[in-house]
C-alpha cells in the first residue's frame, strides 16, 4: 500500500524541483526526504527518480504517480470536508493568506461577518505574496488564500489548487500633479479620467520619467514592466516599493510615476494625478482542490463576497 505522506513528498518534488527545496518547505531534513522517497520507490516496485549529480528528476513512472497523487490528495480534501460538515458547528483555526490591499480593504469586514456567523471559528491571517501561495497551500501552511493576477501577467494553472473569482479592479497611472518632464498634464486626484482609447499612448507619455515599481519577483513588478514594454519602452526604475500608500507618497514627492490598482489609490494625495488605464487586476480565492466544500473554506468565501465593495467590478475570466 502506497503511503499518502510519501506521495505528498513526491508531488512536492515534482513542483519544487529539488530535495532541498522540499525539505525546507515541509520542515524535514534533506536526508529524511531522500529516505522517504526511497521507501516510496520500494513500495512502488520500480524507479521513480533519476539522479544526475545533485539534481533529481522524475522518471515517467514517477510523473504518472504524481498525477495519481494529485487525485488521491484531492479526494482526501473532500473527505475532510465531508467530515467537517457532519460535525456540529465550525470551530478551530482557519489559516488565511492575503496580500496587503485586500488585507486592508476586504478582509476586516469579512472577519467581522465570519465572527458573527461562526464565533468558534478562529481565522488566522498571514500576509502572503500571491507568488508564494501555491506552495503554502500545498504544504498545508495555509487553508485558503486571496491571490491576484494582472493583464500582462496571467496566473499560471497550479496543479492541486482550485480558484474562484472574487472581484476585479481598474488600474491607474499615478503621476505628480506637477508633471515630471516630459509628462503631459494628468487628472487631479479624486477625479480619475475614464480609460483612454490608447493605453500605450498614456504610458508612453511618461517613457522618459523615472518609474516606481514593486520589488522584482512580484506580480506587481512584472505587470508594470510588461505593460510598459507592450507600449514600446522599458521603464527606467528609480524606486522599488511594495506598499501602494508609500508608492503614492513618492509620486506626490515628484519621485516618479507608477501603475496602481483601484484599492491602492484610496486616500491619494492631491499632489497625485490619476489616469485610468484599460488594464485590470483580478482577485480570486484559492484553496486545495477538493477543499471548496469544506464548511470553513465555504464560510470564509461567503464572508469575503459579502465584504467586496459595490464599486469593484465582477472579474473577467480572461486577461
Amino acid at each position: 500500500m502506497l503511503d499518502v505522506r510519501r506521495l505528498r513528498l513526491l508531488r512536492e518534488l515534482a513542483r519544487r524541483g529539488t530535495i532541498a527545496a522540499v525539505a525546507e518547505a515541509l520542515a524535514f531534513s534533506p536526508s529524511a526526504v531522500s529516505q522517504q522517497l526511497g521507501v516510496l520507490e520500494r513500495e512502488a516496485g520500480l524507479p521513480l527518480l533519476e539522479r544526475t549529480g545533485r539534481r533529481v528528476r522524475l522518471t515517467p513512472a514517477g510523473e504518472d504517480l504524481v498525477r495519481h497523487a494529485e487525485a488521491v490528495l484531492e479526494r482526501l480534501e473532500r473527505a475532510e470536508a465531508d467530515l467537517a460538515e457532519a460535525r456540529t458547528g465550525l470551530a478551530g483555526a482557519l489559516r488565511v493568506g492575503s496580500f496587503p490591499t485586500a488585507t486592508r480593504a476586504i478582509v476586516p469586514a469579512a472577519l467581522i461577518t465570519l465572527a458573527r456567523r461562526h464565533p468558534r471559528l478562529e481565522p488566522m491571517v498571514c500576509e502572503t505574496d500571491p507568488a508564494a501561495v501555491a506552495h503554502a497551500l500545498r504544504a498545508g501552511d495555509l487553508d485558503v488564500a486571496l491571490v491576484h493576477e494582472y493583464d500582462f501577467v496571467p496566473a499560471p494553472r497550479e496543479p492541486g489548487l482550485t480558484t474562484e473569482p472574487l472581484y476585479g479592479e481598474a488600474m491607474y497611472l499615478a503621476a505628480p500633479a506637477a508633471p515630471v518632464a516630459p509628462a503631459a498634464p494628468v487628472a487631479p486626484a479624486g477625479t480619475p479620467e475614464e480609460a483612454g482609447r490608447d493605453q500605450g499612448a498614456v504610458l508612453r507619455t511618461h517613457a522618459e520619467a523615472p518609474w516606481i515599481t514593486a520589488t522584482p519577483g512580484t506580480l506587481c513588478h512584472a505587470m508594470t514592466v510588461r505593460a510598459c514594454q507592450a507600449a514600446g519602452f522599458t521603464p527606467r526604475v528609480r524606486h522599488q516599493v511594495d506598499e501602494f500608500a508609500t508608492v503614492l507618497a513618492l509620486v506626490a514627492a515628484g519621485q516618479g510615476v507608477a501603475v496602481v490598482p483601484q484599492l491602492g489609490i484610496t486616500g491619494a494625495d492631491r499632489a497625485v494625478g490619476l489616469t485610468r488605464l484599460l488594464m485590470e487586476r483580478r482577485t480570486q480565492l484559492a484553496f486545495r482542490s477538493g477543499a471548496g466544500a469544506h464548511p470553513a473554506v465555504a464560510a470564509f468565501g461567503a464572508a469575503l463576497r459579502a465584504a467586496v465593495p459595490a464599486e469593484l467590478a465582477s472579474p473577467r475570466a480572461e486577461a
Side-chain angles (χ1 to χ4, degrees), residues 136 186 201 204 246:
V186 294
R204 283 193 298 275
T246 305

Side-chain angles (χ1 to χ4, degrees), residues 2 10 27 29 47-48 51 55 57 60 92-93 107 119 123 157 169 242 247 252 265 268 275 279 305 319:
L2 298 175
L10 185 68
S29 67
L48 303 175
R51 293 169 176 81
R55 304 289 300 179
R57 65 179 183 181
V107 171
R157 180 187 177 278
E169 298 171 70
D242 288 324
V247 169
I265 65 173
T275 303
M279 299 163 55
R305 290 182 179 84

